[in-house]
Amino acid sequence: MKRFQSVLLASAVLLTSATLALSQECATEPVTVGFLPKLDTDPYFKVAQQGAEEAAKEIGGKAIQVAPSQATAEAQIDFINSLVSQKVGVIAISANDANAVAPALKRAAQQGVRVISYDSDVAADARSIFVNQAKGDSLAEMMLESAYNLTGGEGEFAILSSTPTATNQNAWIDFMKAKLAAEPKYAKMKLVQVAYGEESEQINQQQALALVQAFPDIKAIIVPAGIGLPAAARALEEAGMIGKVKLTGLAPATLISKYIKDGAAQDIWWNVSDLGYLTYQAAQALAQCKITGKEGDKFSAGRLGEYTIGASGELILGPAKIVTPDNLAEFKF
């Protein structure tokens, strides 16, 4: 019986793949790309969209952006359905939950809409390409290394992430935990808690204060979320704790520049506009069947040059940097 069920499942997968191949015709000209970020108020995605619009002016087509006011998968699903009804050629999504949005994305694909993810991935079988801002392990390693440098390599620290279901943050946290357990270098560092700011400035501030109250000896907080790091910095500053508790993570460098200059914080960052630019270039190449998302596929991404699709459809923008007082001027966002 189990063998029969396996055959049926395999047949269903093949049938679905064949149906998708038939429904997704190659575009003969640039299409409309619908960008669906996690949250409509996050300035990170507004800057990424500027890069997408720059690419659209160069190669044609249109870049539109819609986003929920709450960072939930349920809210994103409504927008996925809306983009399908608008007959976009490609949906580019930064997922609030990798698996929860997958069924809606698969339905979109069945209706002829190609799907790529950027910034935060979705289930691999629900998209063709994931445009990653930087190699995930390298970001996690930089955040941990930054915390090590800020604390002198010893003492308690915490992580203030975005949501419990955020794909990229969870992968980074798992990597950091593995590093802490495996490498003697980090033996004197102790991760005391992982908290969540729920993509809310207010909740991030509350959680940052709660962490320093719950752990009086805490020396640093890693905040791998663009909204969370500046919110945590403001909260600690108002409480007179900034500097005593160091901060690092991911955020627009300009939003925490004064804390970086003062040595109270570091930052791991990249060119955000280029992420939107590359995502749009990849979306158009996918829509016109210049690439499929297969490992080894190559395409030209305008001013960024030639890119190659990696394993599991991953496309990496490039290396990030640890932002310190010495290189702060390089980062305009």
Side-chain angles (χ1 to χ4, degrees):
M1 183 64 180
K2 288 183 179 179
R3 183 178 179 182
F4 179 67
Q5 289 173 332
S6 298
V7 171
L8 283 178
L9 179 59
S11 300
V13 170
L14 289 172
L15 182 59
T16 301
S17 301
T19 303
L20 290 180
L22 289 171
S23 64
Q24 293 184 326
E25 297 179 357
C26 300
T28 57
E29 58 186 22
V31 300
T32 296
V33 180
F35 283 78
L36 177 51
K38 295 177 181 178
L39 194 66
D40 62 354
T41 56
D42 192 335
Y44 175 91
F45 293 110
K46 296 182 189 300
V47 174
Q49 188 65 14
Q50 291 171 8
E53 291 168 0
E54 176 194 348
K57 287 179 182 177
E58 290 180 7
I59 63 175
K62 191 174 181 181
I64 64 173
Q65 179 164 291
V66 295
S69 57
Q70 292 184 321
T72 66
E74 292 75 16
Q76 283 191 312
I77 289 168
D78 289 339
F79 282 101
I80 292 169
N81 297 334
S82 174
L83 287 170
V84 172
S85 69
Q86 293 178 55
K87 299 188 183 304
V88 300
V90 182
I91 291 174
I93 182 172
S94 175
N96 283 314
D97 186 315
N99 296 312
V101 297
L105 293 172
K106 291 176 183 178
R107 288 193 296 272
Q110 289 168 350
Q111 296 179 67
V113 180
R114 284 177 166 79
V115 177
I116 66 177
S117 57
Y118 73 114
D119 174 70
S120 181
D121 201 6
V122 300
D125 62 350
R127 51 77 173 161
S128 298
I129 296 168
F130 169 40
V131 185
N132 199 352
Q133 56 264 45
K135 194 173 184 297
D137 289 356
S138 72
L139 289 176
E141 189 162 13
M142 284 185 197
M143 284 187 271
L144 189 58
E145 179 67 19
S146 177
Y148 179 90
N149 292 336
L150 288 169
T151 62
E154 60 182 37
E156 297 179 347
F157 76 100
I159 296 173
L160 177 53
S161 191
S162 57
T163 65
T165 57
T167 316
N168 45 359
Q169 280 94 344
N170 285 343
W172 299 333
I173 292 167
D174 287 344
F175 181 90
M176 286 188 271
K177 286 179 176 178
K179 275 274 186 184
L180 288 167
E183 296 197 8
K185 173 181 177 177
Y186 301 113
K188 294 182 179 181
M189 294 181 68
K190 181 182 179 183
L191 175 60
V192 292
Q193 187 172 327
V194 177
Y196 300 96
E198 300 295 344
E199 292 285 356
S200 162
E201 182 174 345
Q202 182 179 6
I203 295 174
N204 273 292
Q205 290 177 333
Q206 293 169 348
Q207 291 283 22
L209 293 175
L211 286 169
V212 298
Q213 289 166 1
F215 304 99
D217 296 328
I218 195 171
K219 295 179 71 174
I221 303 174
I222 296 175
V223 193
I227 288 177
L229 186 50
R234 285 192 294 273
L236 293 185
E237 183 178 33
E238 291 173 5
M241 296 294 292
I242 193 72
K244 185 181 296 184
V245 178
K246 302 293 181 70
L247 294 172
T248 189
L250 309 179
T254 54
L255 295 184
I256 60 166
S257 59
K258 73 172 183 175
Y259 306 110
I260 294 173
K261 290 176 183 175
D262 292 343
Q266 289 184 354
D267 190 21
I268 290 81
W269 209 231
W270 51 88
N271 189 312
V272 178
S273 179
D274 283 355
L275 177 64
Y277 183 95
L278 179 59
T279 301
Y280 187 85
Q281 292 276 358
Q284 293 294 356
L286 181 67
Q288 296 172 50
C289 298
K290 295 176 182 177
I291 55 175
T292 64
K294 181 180 67 175
E295 184 175 2
D297 278 357
K298 299 179 185 292
F299 72 103
S300 176
R303 61 174 173 77
L304 296 179
E306 187 175 87
Y307 275 80
T308 303
I309 306 294
S312 301
E314 185 178 30
L315 179 62
I316 298 173
L317 173 63
K321 292 183 179 180
I322 297 179
V323 185
T324 67
D326 294 334
N327 64 5
L328 180 59
E330 296 178 24
F331 299 86
K332 307 302 181 184
F333 173 74

